[in-house]
Amino acid sequence: MSSVPTYEQICADAGCVGLACCGGFQLMADDSLPEIRPGVRPATLILLGFRGPSCWLAFEASAEFRDGQAHPLDRWSRRLIDELARRHAALSVYPFSGPPWWPFQSWAARAEGLHASPLGILMHPKFGPWHSYRGALLFETRIDVPAAPPVAHPCDSCHTKPCLHGCPVGAVSEAGFDALRCREFVRSRGRDCREGGCLARRSCPVGAEYQQSAAQASFHIAAFAGLRAISAR
């Protein structure tokens, strides 16, 4: 594109292929990011990811989901986001292609004012723990993006905190998320988690209407635990 795209145009184009815009921000001089081209630093970052069931349905209908090859979601994400980058004269970066490992959690907190949770997932005021980041676009020009509003931490007003009691092996606690304990349980005795997704995450009341389907949850938990993901073959 010859003209500078608006945030709304980028979001519309992303939505057409099954991705969601997840906020963005103007970059600072001390942000360590690759150059758009030699000598040209990026000025704006926009995050892209999953929100709601439509994103999963788009991936589930893709060739990558059905071809039986490794890392289908990463390959699908890269194909779509690289194309968006070409269309809008941007540079694409990913959370799964390091090193370097880009700080997507920090970027998300900065873009949308989100907060950490005992689940090890940033809590969104609308989607709760049911959102994820598949990549980001870096732009040479300044693009007006919605300012992150002040967001109250959803966990602070959750009095029962069911996530702290929902994990069968205590991998979720006030101290944080024990990924190793979770992974070992899922690989061995955690059939309910393997087939339906993390029990602690499913117990969270925030954004419950956006919970992943069993197919999506089992796909992600298999990838997390290093198991063979469910395929459509």
Side-chain angles (χ1 to χ4, degrees), residues 130 161-166 198-206 211:
W130 305 106
K161 292 183 170 46
C163 68
L164 297 180
H165 315 291
C198 171
L199 292 174
R201 189 178 185 185
R202 284 157 55 189
S203 73
C204 178
V206 185
Q211 277 197 25

Short mmCIF file of all heavy atoms in Angstrom, two decimals, residues 130 161-166 198-206 211:
data_model
loop_
_atom_site.label_atom_id
_atom_site.label_comp_id
_atom_site.label_asym_id
_atom_site.label_seq_id
_atom_site.Cartn_x
_atom_site.Cartn_y
_atom_site.Cartn_z
N TRP A 130 -8.84 -16.14 27.88
CA TRP A 130 -9.11 -16.77 26.59
C TRP A 130 -8.70 -15.87 25.43
O TRP A 130 -9.53 -15.43 24.62
CB TRP A 130 -10.59 -17.17 26.50
CG TRP A 130 -10.97 -18.03 27.66
CD1 TRP A 130 -11.72 -17.66 28.73
CD2 TRP A 130 -10.58 -19.39 27.88
NE1 TRP A 130 -11.82 -18.71 29.62
CE2 TRP A 130 -11.14 -19.78 29.13
CE3 TRP A 130 -9.82 -20.31 27.15
CZ2 TRP A 130 -10.94 -21.06 29.65
CZ3 TRP A 130 -9.64 -21.57 27.68
CH2 TRP A 130 -10.20 -21.94 28.90
N LYS A 161 -11.71 -17.05 43.76
CA LYS A 161 -10.49 -17.46 43.06
C LYS A 161 -10.47 -18.97 42.78
O LYS A 161 -9.57 -19.70 43.25
CB LYS A 161 -9.26 -17.03 43.85
CG LYS A 161 -9.08 -15.51 43.90
CD LYS A 161 -7.83 -15.11 44.62
CE LYS A 161 -7.53 -13.62 44.46
NZ LYS A 161 -8.67 -12.72 44.66
N PRO A 162 -11.41 -19.44 41.99
CA PRO A 162 -11.48 -20.89 41.72
C PRO A 162 -10.25 -21.43 41.01
O PRO A 162 -9.95 -22.63 41.13
CB PRO A 162 -12.73 -21.03 40.84
CG PRO A 162 -12.93 -19.67 40.24
CD PRO A 162 -12.47 -18.70 41.27
N CYS A 163 -9.51 -20.59 40.29
CA CYS A 163 -8.32 -21.10 39.59
C CYS A 163 -7.29 -21.64 40.56
O CYS A 163 -6.51 -22.55 40.21
CB CYS A 163 -7.71 -20.00 38.72
SG CYS A 163 -6.98 -18.62 39.63
N LEU A 164 -7.26 -21.11 41.80
CA LEU A 164 -6.27 -21.56 42.78
C LEU A 164 -6.61 -22.94 43.33
O LEU A 164 -5.76 -23.58 43.98
CB LEU A 164 -6.17 -20.56 43.93
CG LEU A 164 -5.69 -19.15 43.56
CD1 LEU A 164 -5.64 -18.26 44.80
CD2 LEU A 164 -4.32 -19.21 42.89
N HIS A 165 -7.84 -23.39 43.09
CA HIS A 165 -8.26 -24.69 43.61
C HIS A 165 -8.60 -25.66 42.49
O HIS A 165 -8.92 -26.82 42.75
CB HIS A 165 -9.48 -24.52 44.52
CG HIS A 165 -9.37 -23.38 45.49
ND1 HIS A 165 -8.49 -23.40 46.55
CD2 HIS A 165 -9.99 -22.17 45.52
CE1 HIS A 165 -8.59 -22.25 47.21
NE2 HIS A 165 -9.48 -21.49 46.61
N GLY A 166 -8.52 -25.19 41.24
CA GLY A 166 -8.98 -26.02 40.12
C GLY A 166 -7.94 -26.95 39.56
O GLY A 166 -8.28 -27.87 38.80
N CYS A 198 -6.91 -26.98 30.30
CA CYS A 198 -6.55 -26.76 31.70
C CYS A 198 -7.78 -26.57 32.58
O CYS A 198 -8.59 -25.66 32.36
CB CYS A 198 -5.64 -25.53 31.78
SG CYS A 198 -5.31 -24.94 33.43
N LEU A 199 -7.91 -27.41 33.61
CA LEU A 199 -9.06 -27.33 34.51
C LEU A 199 -9.07 -26.02 35.28
O LEU A 199 -10.14 -25.43 35.52
CB LEU A 199 -9.04 -28.51 35.47
CG LEU A 199 -9.30 -29.89 34.86
CD1 LEU A 199 -9.10 -30.99 35.90
CD2 LEU A 199 -10.71 -29.97 34.28
N ALA A 200 -7.91 -25.55 35.69
CA ALA A 200 -7.85 -24.30 36.44
C ALA A 200 -8.27 -23.13 35.55
O ALA A 200 -9.02 -22.24 35.98
CB ALA A 200 -6.44 -24.08 36.97
N ARG A 201 -7.80 -23.13 34.33
CA ARG A 201 -8.18 -22.06 33.39
C ARG A 201 -9.67 -22.09 33.11
O ARG A 201 -10.33 -21.06 33.05
CB ARG A 201 -7.38 -22.23 32.09
CG ARG A 201 -7.51 -21.08 31.11
CD ARG A 201 -6.62 -21.35 29.90
NE ARG A 201 -6.59 -20.25 28.96
CZ ARG A 201 -5.98 -20.30 27.78
NH1 ARG A 201 -5.33 -21.41 27.42
NH2 ARG A 201 -5.99 -19.25 26.97
N ARG A 202 -10.23 -23.28 32.94
CA ARG A 202 -11.65 -23.42 32.67
C ARG A 202 -12.51 -22.97 33.84
O ARG A 202 -13.69 -22.64 33.67
CB ARG A 202 -11.96 -24.87 32.30
CG ARG A 202 -11.54 -25.24 30.89
CD ARG A 202 -11.32 -26.73 30.70
NE ARG A 202 -12.46 -27.54 31.07
CZ ARG A 202 -12.42 -28.87 31.15
NH1 ARG A 202 -11.29 -29.52 30.87
NH2 ARG A 202 -13.49 -29.54 31.49
N SER A 203 -11.94 -22.96 35.05
CA SER A 203 -12.72 -22.55 36.22
C SER A 203 -12.81 -21.04 36.37
O SER A 203 -13.61 -20.54 37.17
CB SER A 203 -12.10 -23.15 37.49
OG SER A 203 -10.89 -22.49 37.82
N CYS A 204 -12.00 -20.29 35.60
CA CYS A 204 -12.00 -18.83 35.72
C CYS A 204 -13.33 -18.27 35.23
O CYS A 204 -13.77 -18.56 34.12
CB CYS A 204 -10.84 -18.24 34.91
SG CYS A 204 -10.79 -16.43 34.94
N PRO A 205 -13.99 -17.41 36.04
CA PRO A 205 -15.29 -16.87 35.62
C PRO A 205 -15.19 -15.71 34.63
O PRO A 205 -16.19 -15.35 33.99
CB PRO A 205 -15.91 -16.40 36.94
CG PRO A 205 -14.73 -16.04 37.80
CD PRO A 205 -13.64 -17.02 37.41
N VAL A 206 -14.02 -15.11 34.49
CA VAL A 206 -13.88 -13.94 33.62
C VAL A 206 -13.84 -14.39 32.16
O VAL A 206 -13.03 -15.25 31.80
CB VAL A 206 -12.61 -13.14 33.96
CG1 VAL A 206 -12.54 -11.86 33.12
CG2 VAL A 206 -12.57 -12.79 35.44
N GLN A 211 -14.68 -19.26 26.31
CA GLN A 211 -13.86 -20.45 26.52
C GLN A 211 -13.61 -21.18 25.21
O GLN A 211 -14.46 -21.22 24.33
CB GLN A 211 -14.54 -21.41 27.50
CG GLN A 211 -14.31 -21.08 28.95
CD GLN A 211 -14.63 -22.26 29.85
OE1 GLN A 211 -14.58 -23.42 29.43
NE2 GLN A 211 -14.95 -21.97 31.11
#
